[in-house]
Amino acid sequence: MNDASRATLARLLTTHSVRTGHFRLASGQTSSVYVDVKATSLTGEGGWLIGQALFEAALTLEPAPAAIGGLTLGADPLVTATSIAAYRAGHSLDAIIVRKAPKAHGTERYLEHPPTLAAGSPVVAVDDVVTSGASTLQAIEALRAAGFKVDHALTVVDRQAGGREALADIGVTLHALFTIDELTGH
Ligand SMILES: O=P(O)(O)OC[C@H]1O[C@H](OP(=O)(O)OP(=O)(O)O)[C@H](O)[C@@H]1O
Ligand SMILES: O=C(O)c1cc(=O)[nH]c(=O)[nH]1
């Protein structure tokens, strides 16, 4: 992603997604700032820019991932956008959606992905925001339990609140498009 596209994405996130107020976070902490990445990732321009940026980041990883997977709901538009950006660039990168709990009927699946994705494939985990890292850890646990190899995680925003360290503890390196300070100007 060139500097102009990165600046556009930063502006979209700052305009659409950064909110101030009083927020309770998934981890139970409270914060005066919340980054609602979905407000950007669900726009055509934002989704396209995020997909391109995550695809380009995935291209640098070793081993090269066969898929990108994350916990519903924040990761849903990200995995789809990244998979399509890869396709447009002539690469294959499947999307995996990790349910919050296994589906209770029908397929009873915990992970949704194409049937052609080989067990044991390298997969990069993704989340829209990493705070404590608990949501990303849940996705990685499910991906690893299904036999996928997960060594890296990508996020749009790293809140720099312990998630990177929690992921490192399970052997996963976190790569972020932005830190929260870059978006809030601190
Ligand atoms: O690193 P953590 O402390 O886990 O916090 C970050 C998580 O919190 C948000 O998800 P949320 O639970 O709000 O769910 P949603 O994506 O379904 O909106 C966000 O999408 C991340 O997944
Ligand atoms: O920690 C969270 O729950 C969280 C923080 C944030 O800024 N954005 C978000 O979607 N979740």
Side-chain angles (χ1 to χ4, degrees), residues 25-179:
L25 306 182
S27 56
Q29 302 165 41
T30 57
S31 176
S32 58
V33 183
Y34 195 81
V35 189
D36 178 15
V37 172
K38 290 184 280 287
T40 296
S41 62
L42 292 172
T43 66
E45 185 180 22
W48 171 244
L49 290 171
I50 289 172
Q52 278 195 307
L54 292 175
F55 164 58
E56 287 175 16
L59 269 184
T60 68
L61 303 178
E62 287 286 342
I68 179 165
L71 190 68
T72 193
L73 192 138
D76 296 356
L78 310 186
V79 297
T80 307
T82 307
S83 175
I84 293 170
Y87 175 75
R88 281 293 304 239
H91 291 253
S92 172
L93 191 68
D94 285 333
I96 304 176
I97 293 174
V98 180
R99 292 177 176 275
K100 286 204 168 135
K103 187 176 165 94
H105 61 278
T107 59
E108 299 182 355
R109 285 201 182 110
Y110 192 4
L111 305 184
E112 301 289 349
H113 60 76
T116 46
L117 181 61
S121 296
V123 170
V124 57
V126 69
D127 211 330
D128 56 354
V129 177
V130 168
T131 305
S132 70
S135 305
T136 312
L137 289 169
Q138 182 183 341
I140 293 168
E141 192 177 315
L143 290 164
R144 284 179 168 173
F148 295 114
K149 180 174 169 50
V150 185
D151 295 335
H152 298 278
L154 298 173
T155 187
V156 179
V157 182
D158 178 5
R159 289 188 59 117
Q160 300 182 296
R164 178 179 298 277
E165 294 75 12
L167 290 165
D169 284 347
I170 61 158
V172 172
T173 304
L174 179 67
H175 311 265
L177 300 184
F178 299 99
T179 64

